[in-house]
Amino acid sequence: DVGMKPVFSRLLREAFCPMGAKLFGSSEHRAHEIHGVETAGENWGGSSLDEHHTFMVKYTPNDDKHLDMHIDECDITFNFGITAENAFEGNDLTFCGMFDSENHRK
């Protein structure tokens, strides 16, 4: 626990819930295109976000060099990279498809 639950609860209510509904919500809430670009999203539960598990991780060039692919057990994951892109190589985030889908880990 990083002691910021009230802050992230407000972010969930005021920013992430509306964004989740627009990108990953039910058909009535989901935007099918944004600024002329098709979103190609599906209903992945974005209209019903109601709780969060918030944590921070600091990766450094000398640690976690072999962090294995893993699955987050949640409806939606928001990741924010706060390290400058050119600070070091290998700080990429890769999504490998929806769990149990044909394109998972491909």
Side-chain angles (χ1 to χ4, degrees):
D1 183 9
V2 295
M4 297 183 67
K5 187 168 183 129
V7 171
F8 284 108
S9 292
R10 185 169 178 184
L11 275 172
L12 177 70
R13 267 191 329 273
E14 296 182 14
F16 298 145
C17 284
M19 185 178 2
K22 288 289 184 192
L23 295 175
F24 312 110
S26 64
S27 291
E28 65 189 61
H29 297 131
R30 191 171 61 251
H32 298 282
E33 81 174 38
I34 298 173
H35 296 291
V37 177
E38 193 172 321
T39 62
E42 297 178 30
N43 184 3
W44 294 328
S47 297
S48 60
L49 301 176
D50 58 1
E51 60 183 274
H52 62 86
H53 173 73
T54 306
F55 62 94
M56 293 183 208
V57 178
K58 179 180 179 181
Y59 297 110
T60 63
N62 297 322
D63 297 321
D64 298 314
K65 288 185 177 193
H66 302 288
L67 183 64
D68 194 16
M69 196 177 304
H70 65 277
I71 298 169
D72 289 337
E73 295 291 329
C74 58
D75 293 325
I76 295 176
T77 299
F78 291 98
N79 287 284
F80 299 92
I82 56 176
T83 303
E85 184 177 339
N86 60 358
F88 60 91
E89 291 183 27
N91 60 345
D92 302 326
L93 172 66
T94 303
F95 289 97
C96 301
M98 293 294 291
F99 186 67
D100 284 338
S101 70
E102 291 181 19
N103 70 347
H104 184 243
R105 291 192 175 196
K106 292 184 181 174

